[in-house]
Amino acid sequence: MTLLELTDVTAAYGRVKVLEGVSLSVPEGGAVGILGANGAGKTTTLRAISGTVNVGGRITFAGTDITSLGPEKTAALGIAHVPEGRGTLPNLTVRENLLVGAYLRRDRNALGDDIDFLLDLFPNLAQRISQNASALSGGEQQMLAVARAFMAKPTLLVLDEPSLGLAPSTAKDVYDAIERLRGESGIAMLVVEQNANLAFRVVDSATVLETGRSVLSGTTEELKGRDEIRKAYLGG
Ligand SMILES: Nc1ncnc2c1ncn2[C@@H]1O[C@H](COP(=O)(O)OP(=O)(O)O)[C@@H](O)[C@H]1O
Ligand SMILES: [Mg+2]
């Protein structure tokens, strides 16, 4: 079954058209990447999903048309976004940040178990559970942002360039944590990355965007074998 499907999606900021036709689909429980250079339209594609830009084409989630539905309703349906730049709350503790992620949930008595599950997967966060988010390193803040989104108990976790601005070894640690989360929870993921080497550790397939269009899609194995992918996104 398809969980998320974008069919020929266009998007514009005011009258400035940025997406010219993006198509992709995430199967239930699957992990899919969106690869592309800076400015290709990756973040705009995620804004199209949450309905914060002017959207054309069609977007469905779990069989429901969510085109232009808006961020609150798409979140309530089960899509959790980790935005570019993370957006953790600096003056709240790690535990409070996790609880903020769960604010829409009614099953309040399950939150403790979910926090324990996440702290097992993210030992760095466990060590800093009572510290303010502002005391965390960049990599730890990224892990907190991912964990906080997971606390919403979404069906789909959407990650916008988790490696952005991190040193290579830190970015690797963050992807280790994302891989563990995916392995242990089986949650579906849509992962935006410029760094294909990192994304390919988590995703089963990916779509390549160039100037607002999907130009190539395939399984991770297929894409790794393509010369143009190796040259543009895999460093050789
Ligand atoms: N808020 C905005 N208003 C106008 N243009 C924007 C805005 N955000 C991004 N753009 C433009 O849209 C294009 C795609 O940007 P973006 O989706 O952020 O790309 P990526 O995430 O792949 O780096 C770029 O040309 C960028 O300058
Ligand atoms: Mg971006």
Side-chain angles (χ1 to χ4, degrees):
M1 260 278 280
T2 302
L3 181 62
L4 176 76
E5 181 133 52
L6 277 65
T7 311
D8 217 9
V9 166
T10 60
Y13 295 100
R15 296 212 307 253
V16 183
K17 210 165 185 188
V18 168
L19 299 187
E20 302 273 359
V22 175
S23 297
L24 65 89
S25 93
V26 181
E28 261 178 28
V32 173
I34 301 178
L35 306 176
N38 209 1
K42 303 181 298 298
T43 296
T44 304
T45 302
L46 303 188
R47 291 187 185 133
I49 294 168
S50 57
T52 52
V53 282
N54 300 329
V55 193
R58 185 174 153 87
I59 306 178
T60 63
F61 182 68
T64 303
D65 191 332
I66 62 161
T67 320
S68 304
L69 198 58
E72 289 83 13
K73 286 180 179 158
T74 50
L77 284 173
I79 303 178
H81 286 260
V82 179
E84 218 171 35
R86 293 143 210 159
T88 53
L89 299 162
N91 298 323
L92 296 186
T93 66
V94 167
R95 183 183 294 282
E96 287 163 347
N97 268 275
L98 293 175
L99 289 171
V100 166
Y103 79 104
L104 279 175
R105 284 174 61 177
R106 300 244 171 90
D107 57 338
R108 309 304 297 177
N109 55 5
L111 301 188
D113 282 351
D114 288 345
I115 290 178
D116 289 347
F117 168 79
L118 286 165
L119 295 181
D120 268 355
L121 287 179
F122 300 79
N124 297 42
L125 298 184
Q127 282 167 21
R128 294 176 175 273
I129 186 73
S130 300
Q131 293 181 27
N132 281 357
S134 57
L136 304 186
S137 70
E140 288 165 346
Q141 288 189 21
Q142 183 65 62
M143 291 179 200
L144 177 58
V146 172
R148 184 179 68 168
F150 186 83
M151 282 301 292
K153 224 174 180 181
T155 323
L156 176 69
L157 202 51
V158 176
L159 309 177
D160 194 354
E161 293 204 51
S163 72
L164 197 70
L166 300 177
S169 69
T170 309
K172 198 187 145 292
D173 291 343
V174 167
Y175 268 83
D176 285 343
I178 294 170
E179 231 183 325
R180 284 200 301 278
L181 179 63
R182 170 139 171 83
E184 295 294 321
S185 71
I187 189 168
M189 290 186 177
L190 180 61
V191 183
V192 161
E193 261 303 339
Q194 283 189 58
N195 184 331
N197 276 316
L198 289 172
F200 284 162
R201 291 180 39 195
V202 177
V203 303
D204 316 314
S205 66
T207 297
V208 179
L209 289 194
E210 269 174 32
T211 53
R213 253 178 234 285
S214 327
V215 292
L216 186 64
S217 302
T219 66
T220 299
E221 287 313 308
E222 281 162 6
L223 292 174
K224 279 179 178 168
R226 307 271 301 221
D227 277 348
E228 65 266 43
I229 298 292
R230 279 211 296 272
K231 287 201 185 92
Y233 304 110
L234 294 171

